[in-house]
Amino acid sequence: MHNDALESAIRELKLTSEAQWTQMLGEVMDEQPHLMSFIMNLADDFSEEVHEQLMRATVLLSIAFKKTGIQIELITPAGLDKVLEEKVEAYESLAEGEDLNPELLSEVANSPLVFERVRQWFVAELGEYMPLLEESQNNIGLLVDVIISSMEEFAVDPNSKSNTPTDA
């Protein structure tokens, strides 16, 4: 994903009214019901502020992908499970060697620059509501990475010559 599209999406989301936010959230819920259901089910695991920011991050990424002209196919439950499993394994193997920190989390992200920018935005938006416990911050990082990676996994660039394997 191009950095300009992400920055543009961040600006757009900041200027969004409550009514526009509700509409955008509804659109992403319609387009990605499995991903949004997964995020909605996390409500009891985080504060209301963190949970809402996870939803905002999903909408933010959806906007950014649209700005680049890349469409996201329906993320399936199996596809989401696969990404989640891969990410949990990557984070667990990383945690075996040393304490996790944001720099290390970026190393296992499929798109480190996108991950780092979304993580910075997340922290800035939450401000005082950002959890202080490192474990909670790492869990948020894991979820942000899962959101990014699952969208990338199901991304289809309409400008590519073919989205299916060709016969050789």
Side-chain angles (χ1 to χ4, degrees), residues 9-109:
I10 289 171
R11 285 190 301 277
E12 183 176 328
L13 205 52
K14 280 187 179 190
L15 299 173
T16 301
S17 70
E18 190 63 33
Q20 290 169 316
W21 161 245
T22 302
Q23 180 182 354
M24 293 167 124
L25 181 60
E27 287 173 9
V28 175
M29 289 178 106
D30 289 343
E31 293 168 2
Q32 297 300 336
H34 306 296
L35 178 60
M36 292 306 291
S37 177
F38 168 74
I39 294 168
M40 295 298 284
N41 286 334
L42 298 171
D44 293 339
D45 299 327
F46 294 98
S47 69
E48 183 178 334
E49 294 82 8
V50 170
H51 185 250
E52 180 166 341
Q53 201 62 22
L54 287 167
M55 291 188 298
R56 291 177 90 67
T58 307
V59 171
L60 170 75
L61 289 160
S62 177
I63 293 168
F65 274 105
K66 287 176 184 173
K67 286 183 177 292
T68 62
I70 296 174
Q71 297 180 8
I72 309 298
E73 291 183 341
L74 178 65
I75 298 170
T76 64
L80 182 58
D81 287 346
K82 177 181 169 254
V83 169
L84 185 59
E85 186 177 308
E86 289 171 358
K87 290 299 167 183
V88 167
E89 286 177 13
Y91 278 55
E92 286 175 348
S93 67
L94 191 63
E96 288 175 8
E98 53 192 296
D99 290 336
L100 292 178
N101 61 53
E103 292 75 32
L104 285 175
L105 298 181
S106 292
E107 289 179 17
V108 296

Side-chain angles (χ1 to χ4, degrees), residues 47-50 122-132 140:
S47 69
E48 183 178 334
E49 294 82 8
V50 170
F122 200 102
V123 170
E125 288 292 308
L126 276 178
E128 67 185 50
Y129 295 106
M130 185 67 183
L132 297 176
I140 291 168

